[in-house]
Structure formats: structure tokens, C-alpha cells
Amino acid sequence: MIKNLLAFTSLAAWMKLVFAHGRFWQFGPQLRPDYVDHDVWPDVTVVVPARDEAESIESCLLSLLNQDYRGKLSVVLVDDGSSDGTGDLARALPDLRQRLTVVTGKPRPEGWSGKLWAMHQGEVAALKRLPANGFILFTDADIEHSPLHVATLVDKAQREQLDLVSEMVELNCESAAERLLVPAFVYFFAMLYPFAKINDPDSPVAGAAGGTILLRHTALERIGGVEALRGALIDDCTLAAHVKRAGGRLYLGHSTLAWSVRPYRGAGDVWRMIARTAYVQLRYSPWLLVATIVAMALVWLGPVAFTLFGRGRVRAFGGVASALCVASFLPTLRRFRLSFWRAVPLPLVAAFYMAATIGSAIDHHRGRGVQWKNRAYTEEIHA
């Protein structure tokens, strides 16, 4: 009886996910450079927070300075205490139109997370030159942009009167670890933050991808600026939540015009990426952690166990749930141009993510907290 109930619960969970969870498994939407011209293109200031990004900063900034954008575009790099010459490399770049400003970051005050403090300093520099109808584009220092990317983002915001336009950039998927683990990261993110629900103004779900966030000046002012979220460790989704609660309209999609150059050479790199904020997502709650692990085990490991070791209805329920799991992952694999058979080990990949989530909690309770860029945060910061 218990096995029947567990197997049915697992199947019901997958039916809900696939058919009533914002079509999270569909790999879209995507913006393409087929916009129409506008009479007026608003000013855009790009803010790039950077800490020890010497390997990628030149290609990132050059891709931004070479944008084919008909409005006024400027770039602010905030060198957040880099020890590898990131700021010097930026200052040495050719900038004939004098559109690049390099800000030397000040020491981080108490109550601020590192990235948001850098973003705030970039925001202050940007707003000195940005008119009320302008946009700020927050992007990471390890991302390169197609020449039409900024224009495509602004066109989307203008045509649909959006306050925040965000895209999940293309991630590296070359190493064995990346091919195994990175597509699942995108898939799990979409499961947590269904894009269709984020883009629905009637839904309370909010989310964004930190690599590309285009934000209206007026929307940023309405939420009180970056300072309003100064202690957040999941800065992108926190920013989106503030904007949506203030009545703003959001868009989140997958990018075809921007890509990350940060490699994940081994499973350890992906582990650290997950563990950095997994326990933060659970609000540092041991009870939420236990509930999440039990739920994940039932959803990801249950169908396999029921299919392999169950009988009768238990095996049937497990088989259907397993089929839904595999089928829902196929669009993501197609996006990464990977073979369909890679959907088979998805439950094992989910187990890896479960273990990293537990590792995140262990780090927190050992006092290590969130580790990133040689900084450690033991809890969500609130001044």
C-alpha cells in the first residue's frame, strides 16, 4: 500500500510538473535580431562589476564597446578589489569614442554583498549621465555579446513596455563535466523559475538571470535602487522580485546573442557553483532542507527505483514518471546540441545536485557560508 502511494505521488508530481508548471521544459522564448527601427533609441549605460576577471574582461568590454546600437551607449566597469590587473587591462583598451569609464571600487561596507556593492557603485556612476527614459544593463565580466544584443534587448523592452528584460546566456558545454551537468543546471533553473510564469504579469513568480539584466531607470528608482537589495546573495532573482512587486513587467528568456566564456572544467567547479547559493535558496532552514531532499528523492530517484524494483502498479507508475522525466529534458539537450541518450542519467545528475545542496548546508553550519571570489558570507546580509 505504501509503495503504491509513493509511486502514485511520484507520478502525480511529474504530471503536475510537465502539464501544469508553466511549460518550464520548453526551451524558449528567445530574442532574435529582427527588430524594427525606432525613431528614438534611449540611452543605455552598461554596468559591469568585475573582481579578478583578467581572463575575460577584455573580450567582454570590447564586445560591449562594439555594439551596433543607434542610441547613446556607455560602459561602466567597476573594478571590485581585483588582484589580477583587471582594472589595468580595462583602462588599456582602445576607446576612441570615450565611452568606457573604469571605477575603482571602494571597500565594501557592512551590510552589503560584494557584487551588489559593485553594482551600486556602477549604478551611481551610470545615473550621473542617464536620463529618466534611459536603461541600465547589468552584465557579468565573463560574458561576450553579439553586436546586436543591446539593440535587441532595448527593442523588446520598448515594444512591450517592459521594465526588466533578462536573458540566460549560453553557457559553456565543452568539457565532459559541462556536458553532463550544465544542461541540467539550466533545466533545474527553469523548473524553479518557470519563464512563462515570470513573464506573466498576473503571476507572482519573479526571476532573472544575472548575466543580462536590462532595467529601466524609472523602475530602478521605483524600488529604491540597488541599495534596496544590498544584502541579497541571490541578487538577480531578488532584483526581479522587487521590480515585480513594485508593479513592473518582466521578461526572462534564453539568449542566442550572448554567451559565457567561463569554463567549468570539472565537476568540482559545478559543485561550487551550486553550493554557493543552494542553502540561501532554502532560507538557511534545516526543515526546508530535509523537505527538499525528500521531495527531490521522490521526484528524481523514486521513478527509477519503482521502475526497476517495483511490481504491478508500482512499476507502471514508475515507468510513466520516468518517461515524463526523460521527455521533459529532451528540449534542453537539443538546445545544447547533445544526444538524447544524455537524458537517461538525469536522475544521477539530480542526485549530484542534491548532494551539493546538502554540502551547501554543511558549509553554512560549519561557519564557511557562501564562498565566492575569496569572500565568505555566513548568512543573508541585512544592514
Side-chain angles (χ1 to χ4, degrees), residues 171-191:
L171 302 178
N172 270 316
C173 198
E174 299 298 328
S175 70
E178 287 169 341
R179 290 194 295 271
L180 179 65
L181 300 171
V182 167
F185 171 79
V186 175
Y187 173 83
F188 294 148
F189 180 90
M191 183 180 287

Side-chain angles (χ1 to χ4, degrees), residues 56-283:
S56 60
I57 194 61
E58 293 173 301
S59 59
C60 169
L61 292 178
L62 286 174
S63 73
L64 291 167
L65 294 172
N66 291 326
Q67 286 293 302
D68 183 10
Y69 184 68
R70 298 186 183 182
K72 183 179 179 181
L73 184 140
S74 57
V75 180
V76 177
L77 170 77
V78 182
D79 182 16
D80 182 23
S82 298
S83 60
D84 63 354
T86 293
D88 293 333
L89 289 170
R91 292 183 183 91
L93 288 174
D95 181 25
L96 300 179
R97 297 170 63 181
Q98 297 184 328
R99 294 187 297 172
L100 174 63
T101 300
V102 180
V103 175
T104 300
K106 298 177 181 179
R108 177 173 59 91
E110 184 178 354
W112 284 83
S113 66
K115 182 179 178 181
L116 284 170
W117 174 237
M119 289 170 61
H120 172 64
Q121 293 174 85
E123 168 197 27
V124 171
L127 295 184
K128 290 178 180 178
R129 69 190 74 177
L130 197 65
N133 68 336
F135 288 86
I136 288 184
L137 172 61
F138 292 108
T139 188
D140 291 339
D142 61 346
I143 292 173
E144 295 182 16
H145 304 259
S146 162
L148 293 173
H149 192 212
V150 171
T152 303
L153 295 170
V154 173
D155 173 69
K156 177 72 172 180
Q158 293 290 77
R159 281 190 294 108
E160 300 185 16
Q161 293 299 300
L162 299 169
D163 294 280
L164 185 152
V165 176
S166 180
E167 288 187 310
M168 177 171 281
V169 303
E170 293 187 13
L171 302 178
N172 270 316
C173 198
E174 299 298 328
S175 70
E178 287 169 341
R179 290 194 295 271
L180 179 65
L181 300 171
V182 167
F185 171 79
V186 175
Y187 173 83
F188 294 148
F189 180 90
M191 183 180 287
L192 283 172
Y193 299 98
F195 290 17
K197 292 187 177 182
I198 290 169
N199 300 344
D200 180 359
D202 295 326
S203 168
V205 178
T212 300
I213 299 179
L214 181 76
L215 186 61
R216 285 187 187 272
H217 181 176
T218 51
L220 187 59
E221 284 188 332
R222 193 160 56 239
I223 67 170
V226 173
E227 186 175 4
L229 45 143
R230 62 188 179 276
L233 299 180
I234 306 178
D235 51 89
D236 44 13
C237 292
T238 304
L239 173 59
H242 276 68
V243 172
K244 199 164 194 180
R245 282 199 297 266
R249 296 187 60 198
L250 311 183
Y251 167 86
L252 176 61
H254 294 280
S255 182
T256 61
L257 301 174
W259 50 94
S260 172
V261 296
R262 185 184 301 280
Y264 296 95
R265 297 183 177 90
D269 294 330
V270 181
W271 177 286
R272 286 185 287 274
M273 176 183 68
I274 303 162
R276 178 165 58 98
T277 57
Y279 201 43
V280 180
Q281 188 78 44
L282 298 175
R283 302 194 293 276

Side-chain angles (χ1 to χ4, degrees), residues 328-350:
S328 69
F329 192 41
L330 294 180
T332 301
L333 291 175
R334 284 197 294 270
R335 163 68 169 166
F336 283 93
R337 296 176 291 278
L338 293 173
S339 299
F340 69 91
W341 65 263
R342 291 184 177 275
V344 175
L346 182 60
L348 295 179
V349 175

